[in-house]
Amino acid sequence: MHGRFCRLIGTSLSAAILLLFVGHGQSQSSTPQGRYLNPALPLEQRVDDLISRMTLAEKVSQMQNDAPPIPRLQIPGYNWWNEGLHGIARSGYATVFPQAIGLAATWDTALIDRVGDTISTEARAKYNQAQREGNRSIFYGLTL
């Protein structure tokens, strides 16, 4: 059971790493090694390859909110902590909405859907700009 749990955690972590930033905009020909960097391969193969290359210490280091970079694997640092319950203004100017209990009190599901769409659109825009600037700090990630 313990082994399956560790494998599940490692697989989820590696999949998140791959989806967020490993090989972003790169092709296999631009990377010297690693199937995990090839976006043409199935995600499961890429995850298995990445996990096999990470040391235990590297895997553990990625389990905290302020995960350090792993340069030898081309994994940049990432801060997993962000909050978007009623907007993402902690990363600068953004639309701020009432607290969730206030929104729920409207009983307007279409409104709640539009609020969520606005928050996700602004989060993606701020993330994209932060990536262009090399900003991987708290409040700029897509893990809300």
Side-chain angles (χ1 to χ4, degrees):
M1 179 70 172
H2 181 270
R4 273 193 309 188
F5 177 73
C6 288
R7 172 96 172 120
L8 174 65
I9 294 298
T11 299
S12 299
L13 172 65
S14 296
I17 290 169
L18 284 169
L19 292 173
L20 286 172
F21 39 75
V22 173
H24 182 68
Q26 297 177 341
S27 67
Q28 181 63 23
S29 61
S30 68
T31 58
Q33 62 171 349
R35 293 182 316 218
Y36 70 97
L37 294 169
N38 184 348
L41 292 176
L43 182 61
E44 187 171 335
Q45 285 181 19
R46 296 176 68 197
V47 167
D48 288 345
D49 184 57
L50 179 58
I51 289 172
S52 73
R53 293 170 187 277
M54 293 174 78
T55 67
L56 178 59
E58 288 169 339
K59 291 173 189 173
V60 169
S61 77
Q62 298 300 300
M63 299 296 288
Q64 56 191 348
N65 73 295
D66 195 11
I70 306 174
R72 70 179 189 83
L73 296 174
Q74 300 178 29
I75 297 173
Y78 187 78
N79 194 304
W80 295 88
W81 199 96
N82 203 348
E83 185 271 322
L85 183 60
H86 56 98
I88 54 163
R90 287 184 176 220
S91 57
Y93 292 109
T95 308
V96 178
F97 298 95
Q99 287 286 346
I101 195 166
L103 290 171
T106 68
W107 296 96
D108 187 341
T109 57
L111 172 66
I112 303 302
D113 187 58
R114 291 195 324 266
V115 167
D117 185 62
T118 300
I119 291 170
S120 68
T121 300
E122 289 181 2
R124 175 59 74 175
K126 287 180 175 288
Y127 170 80
N128 289 342
Q129 182 62 36
Q131 292 302 292
R132 284 190 290 276
E133 296 170 356
N135 179 357
R136 299 184 186 286
S137 61
I138 192 169
F139 305 128
Y140 289 91
L142 289 179
T143 47
L144 299 171

